[in-house]
Amino acid sequence: MSNTPPPPPDMPNPWSGTKIRQAEAENRRDNREFPCPNCGSDLRFDPGTEAMKCTHCEAEVEVPHVDDEAAQVENDLWDQIADGDTLRTVETPSLNCNTCGASVEFDADEHSRLCPFCDNAIVADVTMQRSIVPQGLLPFKVQEKEAHELMYAWLVKRWFAPSGITDNADTEHFNGVYVPTWTYDAYTDTNYTGKRGVYRGSGKNRRIHWTRVSGKVTGSFDDVLVSGSKSVSVEFKDALAPWPLQDLETYQTEFLAGFRAENHTLGLEDGYNESQQFMHAKTRDWIKADIGGSKQVITSADTRFSDETFKHILLPVWITHYTLESQRYRMSVNGQTGKVYGQRPFSRKKLAIGALVGFLAMVVIGGLISVSTGPEIENYIRSSNW
Ligand SMILES: [Zn+2]
Ligand SMILES: [Zn+2]
C-alpha cells in the first residue's frame, strides 16, 4: 500500500531562512547586539554622528534614518494612566543600586558592578525590570574625550580647586548614561482671591493700604521636565538644562549601542505630581503679577488642569567620579550641549589663603564688605559626599 502524502504545494515557507534571519536580527536589535559586519566586534554609537563605529576595526554602520514624528508625539496622560498598557513596555535584566536607588541595565559583558550614578558597588542580584519604552531620545553629541576636556576646563576655572586635581580626574573613566525623563504639557485655569498692597504717603506717613481682589489666570505649559531617575534629579532640574528637545530623535536601539540606559524609577503619575508642583509655583507668580501693586497676598488659588499630555524620552549624560582627600565627587556633562555640573572640590591650603586675603580686604576697607570664608565652605565640603 502506498499512502505517501502528495508533495507539499510549492508555496513560500513562513519559516524560510530569510525570515528567521530577519527575526533574529530584530531580536538582536532589541537586545542591542550590534556586531560589526566586517570583524564581528561590537559596534558603538559614535557621538556627534549618525552612525555606529566598530570598537576594533573602525568600520561604520549608519543608524537607519526614521523620518516619523514619534519622538514628538504627545500622549494623553489620563488614557495612559487609566489603561496602563497603551505604550509598549520591555523587560530588561537590571541591577538596583541600594545606595542611590538607580535601576541600571545589566550588561553581561561588564565585569564591574559599580553604579554609574553613585560609584558604589551593587551587590543585588540581576532582576528583570519592566519599563515603558521611550519614544524618543537626544543622542550623544559630545565624545568622551570632549567630556574630559570640558570637565578639565571647568575645574581649572574654579579658584579653590586644588592643584593636581585635574591630573587625578584625568584618570577617571566616564560612563555614558541615558537618563529616563518625562515631559508634561497642560493648560491651567486658576481662580484666585487675595489682597493687593499699595503704599500711600511718604516719609513718616508712608502706609500700606490693602484691597481685597479676586481674578483668574490661565496658563499653558510645554515640556515641563521631570527626571524619571531618582539618582540625578537635582542635576537635571537645574544644572544641566537646557535640553534642546526640538532635536529629539525617534527611539532606536542603535543610538544606545555601547551606552547604558537607566530604567525609570519614578512612574508616570508620580512624575506628573512633581510637574504639578512646578506648575503651581509658576501659577503663583502669575497671580502675583495679575494682582499688581507693591505687595500681594494670595488667600486662595483653585487650579483646574486640562489637556494633560506627556512624552517619555531619554537624555544623554556623561558621569564620572573622582577622589580628593578621600572624598568621592561626582561630575556630569550634558551629552548634547557639553554643559558641566560638578561638585566643587576645595583645597584646604587655597582656602586658607583665600580667608587671609578676605581678612586683609576687610581690614583695608574698614569691614564694609563681609567676606564669606571658612565655615560655610567647610559645610559644603561635608555635605557634598554622595
Ligand atoms: Zn569591525
Ligand atoms: Zn547608585
Side-chain angles (χ1 to χ4, degrees), residues 97 100 115 118:
C97 174
C100 75
C115 173
C118 70

Side-chain angles (χ1 to χ4, degrees), residues 35-43 53-59:
C36 171
N38 198 22
C39 74
S41 294
D42 289 335
L43 295 173
K53 207 175 193 176
C54 178
T55 46
H56 184 69
C57 76
E58 304 255 306

Side-chain angles (χ1 to χ4, degrees), residues 196-199 288-296:
R196 178 193 305 122
V198 177
Y199 285 106
K288 285 184 174 176
D290 201 52
I291 291 176
S294 313
K295 288 195 167 181
Q296 305 83 25

Side-chain angles (χ1 to χ4, degrees), residues 47-65:
T49 72
E50 294 274 303
M52 292 181 291
K53 207 175 193 176
C54 178
T55 46
H56 184 69
C57 76
E58 304 255 306
E60 280 187 23
V61 176
E62 292 275 310
V63 176
H65 187 66

Side-chain angles (χ1 to χ4, degrees), residues 14 30 44 48 80-81 106 117 217 234 265 339 352 378:
D30 281 349
R44 184 187 161 94
Q80 172 63 24
I81 288 173
F106 174 67
F117 293 102
V217 291
V234 179
T265 43
K339 190 170 181 190
E378 283 296 320

Side-chain angles (χ1 to χ4, degrees), residues 97-102 115-120 122 231:
C97 174
N98 286 333
T99 312
C100 75
C115 173
F117 293 102
C118 70
D119 206 37
N120 285 294
I122 301 179
S231 335

